[in-house]
Amino acid sequence: MLFRSRQITMSWQSYVDDHLIGTGHVVQGAICGVDGAIWAVSAGFNVSPEEVQKLVAAFEDPSGLQAGGIYLCGEKHMFIRSDDRFIAGKRDKQGIFAWKAATCVVIGTHGENIQGNNCNTCVGNLADYLLNSGM
């Protein structure tokens, strides 16, 4: 399966399918390199490398997201908060969480029927696991 000129390996895809979407706490998810490369993504979550690169830059300087919002899949989300490893945003009743590991970013969204804290914990736990694994 090809996605944006990078072959998605089953191992990365299984992290998205099993450890994000499969938990029931994440509606859409992705694992992306800090360079913006899309490693694995859930069906219909068309996040672009440029959007990922803006998220990665915001871990160090969130002023761009604070002023202009978070764009994912071409849709604007209101910036909520961030630190050097975490970014949160919201659009209507949908939330977005991005967590940075060493070489990748884990992104997850939730809808109105999922508590934001559960989604955030799920995304953060996977990012922590990848960070501790050197990813």
Side-chain angles (χ1 to χ4, degrees):
M1 173 181 190
L2 292 179
F3 185 81
R4 298 207 167 115
S5 301
R6 181 179 171 97
Q7 186 172 1
I8 298 173
T9 65
M10 286 307 296
S11 61
W12 287 119
Q13 192 61 48
S14 70
Y15 281 107
V16 170
D17 295 341
D18 301 337
H19 301 286
L20 293 179
I21 308 305
T23 67
H25 299 301
V26 178
V27 174
Q28 295 178 307
I31 300 174
C32 309
V34 293
D35 62 353
I38 310 300
W39 294 1
V41 65
S42 63
F45 193 49
N46 298 318
V47 62
S48 75
E50 295 78 20
E51 292 168 335
V52 173
Q53 288 171 335
K54 287 181 182 179
L55 281 175
V56 170
F59 288 115
E60 289 187 30
D61 179 10
S63 61
L65 297 185
Q66 291 167 340
I70 301 167
Y71 280 85
L72 281 178
C73 304
E75 296 179 339
K76 183 178 179 179
H77 296 71
M78 180 176 63
F79 174 86
I80 302 293
R81 62 189 162 105
S82 70
D83 64 26
D84 62 343
R85 285 200 57 222
F86 164 79
I87 295 172
K90 185 173 183 169
R91 180 174 185 260
D92 299 324
K93 295 182 180 182
Q94 177 186 1
I96 178 81
F97 297 101
W99 280 85
K100 185 175 180 253
T103 63
C104 63
V105 177
V106 180
I107 304 168
T109 70
H110 70 87
E112 66 181 297
N113 295 327
I114 298 173
Q115 290 191 359
N117 191 47
N118 291 341
C119 178
N120 182 36
T121 299
C122 182
V123 175
N125 285 345
L126 179 55
D128 286 346
Y129 171 79
L130 295 174
L131 178 67
N132 291 333
S133 299
M135 297 304 301

